[in-house]
Amino acid sequence: MKRYQRLVLPAFVLALVAAPLSAPVAARTDINIVASNWKFTPSSITVPVGEPTTLRLTSQEGVHGLESDILGIPLTTIMPNRFVTVTFTPKKAGTYVVHCAIVCGAGHPNMALTINVR
Ligand SMILES: [Cu+2]
């Protein structure tokens, strides 16, 4: 065995062994949501309890919003043709109907995102 092989091989084995130890403990859930007049697409999502979820939100038309004290989602304004992200960690399993947080027109009262926490 040449000298460099004796050095490289142990380093390679060490990297394989060490990699799982440095991997993140919990995988983060990322979900894309598109708002329009007057719905969220998708209208229903499922997220894990006790783990962070990041929503990546944009609007196709109109200014909309998302906010939920119980789920830990701060008021997030969703602007047309912009992307905004919000990360939250739901504490309790259940089905939460989160209404649009910004008055956006005739369909506003019925505009909601259902978040299933499992
Ligand atoms: Cu609205």
Side-chain angles (χ1 to χ4, degrees):
M1 214 183 240
K2 288 180 184 164
R3 184 182 171 84
Y4 76 89
Q5 284 176 319
R6 270 181 273 149
L7 292 173
V8 168
L9 189 62
F12 180 67
V13 171
L14 186 66
L16 285 178
V17 171
L21 298 176
S22 61
V25 175
R28 202 180 65 186
T29 303
D30 289 285
I31 299 173
N32 293 319
I33 296 172
V34 179
S36 59
N37 292 336
W38 285 275
K39 63 180 194 292
F40 294 101
T41 304
S43 61
S44 177
I45 62 173
T46 300
V47 305
V49 63
E51 290 176 22
T53 287
T54 296
L55 304 181
R56 188 163 182 262
L57 302 139
T58 190
S59 173
Q60 281 183 339
E61 52 179 355
V63 177
H64 305 280
L66 213 57
E67 181 179 32
S68 172
D69 286 343
I70 196 165
L71 289 173
I73 302 173
L75 177 59
T76 304
T77 302
I78 309 163
M79 306 282 286
N81 305 314
R82 302 232 181 127
F83 287 89
V84 62
T85 60
V86 62
T87 299
F88 66 105
T89 302
K91 306 249 184 301
K92 198 164 172 258
T95 298
Y96 303 85
V97 178
V98 182
H99 282 88
C100 177
I102 292 174
V103 177
C104 56
H108 171 71
N110 301 317
M111 183 172 173
L113 172 68
T114 299
I115 301 180
N116 302 291
V117 180
R118 298 286 178 263

